[in-house]
Amino acid sequence: MIQEDFRFYKPCKELQPYVRYYWVFKSNQPLNTLTFPIGCPQIIFHKQTPLYIPELGISQSEFTISGQVNYHSHLYANGNVEMIVVVFQPYTLKAFLNLPISLLHNQEVSGYDLENKHLKRLATQIFDCENASLCISAIEQWLLSQIAGALTLKTEYNIKRITAVIRQLLIMPETSVKELTSIACLSKKQFERLFNELVGANPKEYARIVRFQKSLKLLQHYSEDANQAQLAYQCGYADQSHFIREFRRFSGYTPLSLLNVCKPYSDLFNDPT
């Protein structure tokens, strides 16, 4: 009998500025799914079969930290799948790992390789726990304990700078780096270094991911009356050909051909909780 179970969990109020949501997925059938850059780093616990990523030629560790990625990928698993995933705000993972998130760019890093005894202890808790809700509670307790020790005034202020920048990008992905630098109240060099350190991608590349995610959001509600030129304009692309080129870069498909493959969904512009 084929069974699948997909659930989202909302973080507690104290963690909502740092964590977007948690999700749990269970399946007893082989998995083959297409994924896109979502603009948010994640911590992933595989309680059964880890996922294979052919684009990288690797399988994820049972305990994986996934940084910002700029490519689409096909995820495979032949056996039973049970995943618990923490999806962070685009700019907050550094507060919990205390390392530049730029080091995780296009990387699937084993959490065991970070030499963080508290993180390893959390992984042990999760793999020993049978109840998904209790697992989420354990993750939240760990996150709250990390905030207590890691959030210096400087870190909080830097997060606020980049929060303001990301909010602007979500409204207008085409905003220039010069304007984003002004919003952050930093020099261009300081801004780009801080953005890379907290977000894990440079501002221009991240803006491209936001634009792509915004186009996915619009495609969710695509109708016959809409056209690609309108979509391109709404997402801040220079023209229709720019839109199609960028969309293919991040998804492997043109916008219209993707509609024949799967139902578009924007992880960055939707709140599933």
Side-chain angles (χ1 to χ4, degrees), residues 165 168-169 172-183 188 191-192 203-204 207 211:
V165 167
Q168 175 62 24
L169 283 175
M172 291 182 63
E174 66 273 26
T175 304
S176 68
V177 173
K178 183 178 180 180
E179 187 175 340
L180 297 177
T181 297
S182 177
I183 291 171
K188 185 173 183 290
F191 167 64
E192 290 183 336
K204 284 187 176 180
R211 249 194 320 246

Side-chain angles (χ1 to χ4, degrees), residues 57-241:
I58 63 169
S59 289
Q60 291 180 328
S61 163
E62 66 173 11
F63 174 30
T64 291
I65 298 171
S66 181
Q68 296 285 359
V69 301
N70 61 10
Y71 59 90
H72 59 278
S73 58
H74 297 78
L75 304 179
Y76 294 95
N78 289 323
N80 291 347
V81 174
E82 183 176 352
M83 304 169 63
I84 298 176
V85 180
V86 187
V87 181
F88 289 87
Q89 299 288 0
Y91 40 81
T92 57
L93 183 57
K94 183 179 185 296
F96 300 99
L97 298 185
N98 195 29
L99 57 81
I101 303 307
S102 55
L103 296 177
L104 303 177
H105 186 258
N106 282 347
Q107 300 291 318
E108 303 287 326
V109 176
S110 171
Y112 297 120
D113 292 341
L114 297 185
E115 298 302 322
N116 183 322
K117 64 180 181 181
H118 302 293
L119 197 55
K120 291 178 181 177
R121 192 176 301 133
L122 171 65
T124 300
Q125 275 186 275
I126 300 307
F127 293 127
D128 287 345
C129 180
E130 297 293 326
N131 183 285
S133 296
L134 292 178
C135 287
I136 300 298
S137 295
I139 291 169
E140 292 224 305
Q141 288 171 17
W142 179 80
L143 292 171
L144 288 167
S145 71
Q146 292 302 108
I147 285 181
L151 280 187
T152 63
L153 287 175
K154 181 180 178 182
T155 300
E156 283 190 273
Y157 193 57
N158 284 336
I159 287 176
K160 285 179 181 178
R161 289 181 194 268
I162 302 304
T163 300
V165 167
I166 297 294
R167 283 176 179 163
Q168 175 62 24
L169 283 175
L170 292 176
I171 297 168
M172 291 182 63
E174 66 273 26
T175 304
S176 68
V177 173
K178 183 178 180 180
E179 187 175 340
L180 297 177
T181 297
S182 177
I183 291 171
C185 299
L186 294 168
S187 70
K188 185 173 183 290
K189 187 176 180 180
Q190 288 174 321
F191 167 64
E192 290 183 336
R193 183 173 64 245
L194 181 64
F195 193 96
N196 237 317
E197 191 175 291
L198 265 60
V199 178
N202 68 58
K204 284 187 176 180
E205 179 183 68
Y206 192 76
R208 291 173 66 196
I209 292 171
V210 173
R211 249 194 320 246
F212 167 70
Q213 282 286 326
K214 189 170 184 177
S215 69
L216 285 176
K217 173 67 172 176
L218 294 178
L219 281 171
Q220 285 178 233
H221 311 289
Y222 184 81
S223 68
E224 295 300 322
D225 297 331
N227 63 57
Q228 292 187 77
Q230 289 174 327
L231 290 178
Y233 174 76
Q234 288 178 270
C235 296
Y237 290 102
D239 51 38
Q240 184 174 331
S241 62

Side-chain angles (χ1 to χ4, degrees), residues 249-266:
R249 163 75 177 79
F250 287 117
S251 73
Y253 294 89
T254 66
L256 295 185
S257 64
L258 182 69
L259 292 172
N260 297 320
V261 175
C262 65
K263 182 175 174 59
Y265 178 83
S266 171

